Amino acid sequence: MDPIVSGLIQRLADAGQSHLLQFWGELSPEEQATLTLDLQGMDLQEINGFFKNAMETSSSSKHEKMDNRMEPVPREVLGSVTRDRECLKDWELTGLDCISQSKVAVLLLAGGQGTRLGVSYPKGMYDVGLPSHKTLFQIQAERILKLKQLAEQKHKIKCCIPWYIMTSGRTMESTKEFFSRHNYFGLDKNNIIFFQQGMLPAMDYSGKIILESKGKLSMAPDGNGGLYRALGNQGIMNDMERRGIEFIHVYCVDNILVKVADPAFVGFCVQKGADCGAKVVEKTNPTEAVGVVCKVDGRYQVVEYSEITLGTAEKRSADGRLMFNAGNVANHFFSFSFLKDVVQKYEPKLQHHVAQKKIPFVDAQGQLVKPDKPNGIKMEKFVFDIFQFAKTFVVYEVLREDEFSPLKNADSQDGKDTPTTAKHALMSLHHRWVLNAGGHFIDENGRRVPAIPR
């Protein structure tokens, strides 16, 4: 027998995963080679450890609500576009100054496919139906280009805003090809760096890796918190260091209103000496299923809606606002030194979260089964898991209608977070910009349209 295969058989036996080769004799040489390669690249003992820890953490925290351990974000670490208007210009100038010195990088989390939108390609390639038909990738690229121009005009020096784009195994090739086909939307391709988040196998409840076909493991991205491991594994931290990057803005691809490397947010965080910052929108409805940034046992974290009781979700402050109202929108600031510490010291301490899923699998007879209820787990880490390690953490509150409209679901009657709601959110923002700049709109007959339609 091939020594590579016999070594693999032994490793699988040691890890209690021998079932992965049960159809070996039915596979073609090509399929055998692919499966061998997949398994060789996997640390099975490490994965078994992940499963054990994730299940233990999941069962111990399942029934425990966070209510008694939570405190809202204190005012002294909070910056707000509505409550601190007098500071905004100063924060923006600080941010533009950092950008002009090429100290700021942008990091995009773009691993998601548009499955829930009904398409098989990466979400960033989606066109929500704007008159221009610009995709999310193009909108964000053009914002980076514009910000670069603004910083250069202000400070009369050339600058660079590198764009790091984390894809998943499923979206890497199509994303790179899309950027190449569109000439990198006018950006310098040397300043766009693609890298790939890790994958982890899906497992059944007894810790066995699931086969999705006779020669293929069921794999899934390791969550957006897989970012930190990927930054280390793929030389991204070294690239940032070489470029002299000091501050990083991290955001998710699906928010059509994102202010990429928002200079006011960057400037606020820099002035506060923050190593980590979270941009939030005010949660106005107690039952909105969004995580809130708060303190738990004295440390910052995001608490999901499912982790608190309705009573706590409904608590209000003296001013009538919800007490826990800092809605997390996956929009973060990191200092380079903090990110380096996270990658080198803290990432291995992060626990995986368990997501119970309906995972298609092949049974002992080699038949594909599509279960109608959850039959296994996918393990993932979240970007915000590292807030707890920040020495100086700040929160920046912005207006939802100006900065947050995620694209998650296909269009439907009264749908939420759909292409239609994203399109309307962006057009409404542009409409307000024109009115605020003293402009007005005319109808097809040239008559002026009232600012507030009657």
Side-chain angles (χ1 to χ4, degrees):
M1 184 185 272
D2 182 334
I4 291 175
V5 177
S6 55
L8 196 55
I9 290 169
Q10 188 57 54
R11 275 184 58 227
L12 288 167
D14 292 346
Q17 302 287 358
S18 298
H19 66 286
L20 296 176
L21 297 182
Q22 62 185 311
F23 302 108
W24 183 260
E26 299 175 38
L27 302 180
S28 69
E30 292 78 23
E31 289 169 329
Q32 288 181 350
T34 303
L35 181 58
T36 303
L37 208 59
D38 287 348
L39 290 169
Q40 279 179 316
M42 217 172 260
D43 185 334
L44 295 166
Q45 298 295 355
E46 182 183 53
I47 287 163
N48 283 349
F50 288 165
F51 174 81
K52 184 169 170 287
N53 292 339
M55 292 304 276
E56 281 170 8
T57 309
S58 165
S59 59
S60 67
S61 62
K62 198 169 280 179
H63 307 295
E64 184 202 356
K65 297 287 185 185
M66 297 278 194
D67 305 52
N68 299 331
R69 299 160 53 201
M70 287 168 59
E71 310 164 56
V73 174
R75 181 66 178 102
E76 62 269 19
V77 305
L78 181 74
S80 166
V81 296
T82 52
R83 292 182 258 184
D84 297 307
R85 286 180 198 273
E86 69 288 351
C87 303
L88 289 178
K89 199 73 211 152
D90 193 40
W91 292 338
E92 188 177 301
L93 289 172
T94 297
L96 279 174
D97 186 41
C98 294
I99 290 163
S100 73
Q101 295 175 55
S102 302
K103 290 179 179 177
V104 178
V106 174
L107 203 165
L108 166 60
L109 306 174
Q113 285 175 289
T115 318
R116 275 158 63 188
L117 291 164
V119 298
S120 58
Y121 51 80
K123 253 191 197 181
M125 289 162 52
Y126 197 86
D127 163 12
V128 299
L130 293 167
S132 64
H133 291 289
K134 289 177 182 178
T135 59
L136 295 175
F137 280 144
Q138 182 172 354
I139 290 166
Q140 291 161 24
E142 290 177 355
R143 287 176 189 160
I144 291 174
L145 203 54
K146 185 64 181 175
L147 186 56
K148 179 178 179 299
Q149 289 166 0
L150 289 171
E152 288 176 346
Q153 283 165 11
K154 178 91 185 144
H155 291 275
K156 308 288 184 283
I157 47 171
K158 284 277 175 216
C159 71
C160 159
I161 307 171
W163 196 10
Y164 296 91
I165 300 177
M166 184 173 84
T167 69
S168 65
R170 296 176 187 146
T171 61
M172 174 64 102
E173 286 314 310
S174 44
T175 302
K176 284 169 84 166
E177 196 271 324
F178 188 74
F179 271 76
S180 171
R181 194 165 76 238
H182 290 87
N183 226 354
Y184 300 90
F185 306 105
L187 293 166
D188 180 345
K189 72 174 187 179
N190 297 313
N191 296 326
I192 300 178
I193 302 95
F194 298 96
F195 67 108
Q196 194 171 309
Q197 77 184 101
M199 303 281 279
L200 281 173
M203 304 179 92
D204 68 18
Y205 292 123
S206 61
K208 301 288 186 205
I209 293 172
I210 292 173
L211 282 172
E212 68 174 37
S213 67
K214 289 180 181 180
K216 198 165 187 306
L217 312 180
S218 177
M219 301 292 289
D222 56 1
N224 57 22
L227 164 69
Y228 306 115
R229 193 164 175 159
L231 286 173
N233 286 351
Q234 302 197 32
I236 300 300
M237 296 307 292
N238 297 341
D239 188 83
M240 287 182 180
E241 196 154 22
R242 183 177 60 75
R243 292 171 181 265
I245 296 302
E246 292 182 25
F247 311 110
I248 299 105
H249 177 227
V250 178
Y251 71 97
C252 274
V253 72
D254 63 3
N255 178 12
I256 198 168
L257 299 183
V258 66
K259 285 189 179 178
V260 185
D262 173 9
F265 178 40
V266 170
F268 164 71
C269 293
V270 170
Q271 282 193 22
K272 292 282 188 187
D275 42 19
C276 182
K279 196 178 258 200
V280 300
V281 298
E282 185 177 357
K283 181 177 166 178
T284 51
N285 170 4
T287 58
E288 184 187 1
V290 61
V292 293
V293 178
C294 61
K295 274 180 146 178
V296 176
D297 299 333
R299 288 181 169 193
Y300 287 98
Q301 73 175 68
V302 172
V303 172
E304 296 296 349
Y305 172 66
S306 58
E307 295 177 309
I308 56 175
T309 61
L310 182 60
T312 295
E314 288 177 334
K315 276 187 183 167
R316 294 191 182 266
S317 306
D319 62 4
R321 296 174 184 225
L322 290 174
M323 185 177 285
F324 295 101
N325 68 356
N328 175 54
V329 293
N331 191 317
H332 310 307
F333 166 95
F334 297 114
S335 70
F336 176 79
S337 56
F338 177 63
L339 200 52
K340 195 171 175 180
D341 278 348
V342 166
V343 170
Q344 293 177 352
K345 292 200 299 213
Y346 302 130
E347 193 281 332
K349 297 180 184 176
L350 297 179
Q351 290 291 347
H352 284 93
H353 302 265
V354 168
Q356 301 202 33
K357 301 276 187 182
K358 292 182 267 196
I359 304 163
F361 66 98
V362 288
D363 63 16
Q365 284 70 49
Q367 299 298 311
L368 181 65
V369 179
K370 292 189 173 176
D372 52 11
K373 59 177 192 290
N375 62 315
I377 67 159
K378 292 183 178 179
M379 296 180 288
E380 51 192 10
K381 292 181 177 182
F382 300 142
V383 158
F384 54 70
D385 287 341
I386 53 87
F387 288 178
Q388 58 183 311
F389 303 116
K391 292 185 180 59
T392 309
F393 183 84
V394 295
V395 176
Y396 188 70
E397 182 187 72
V398 297
L399 291 169
R400 185 186 297 242
E401 61 268 27
D402 288 353
E403 298 205 31
F404 185 57
S405 179
L407 175 64
K408 296 193 182 297
N409 306 308
D411 271 320
S412 62
Q413 202 71 43
D414 306 321
K416 191 174 178 293
D417 302 338
T418 64
T420 298
T421 60
K423 176 177 75 172
H424 286 163
L426 188 62
M427 293 183 76
S428 168
L429 176 70
H430 292 171
H431 185 256
R432 291 196 301 280
W433 281 353
V434 170
L435 297 179
N436 291 341
H440 62 267
F441 291 86
I442 54 173
D443 64 18
E444 62 273 22
N445 300 314
R447 281 195 299 266
R448 187 165 171 163
V449 178
I452 300 169
R454 296 201 215 356

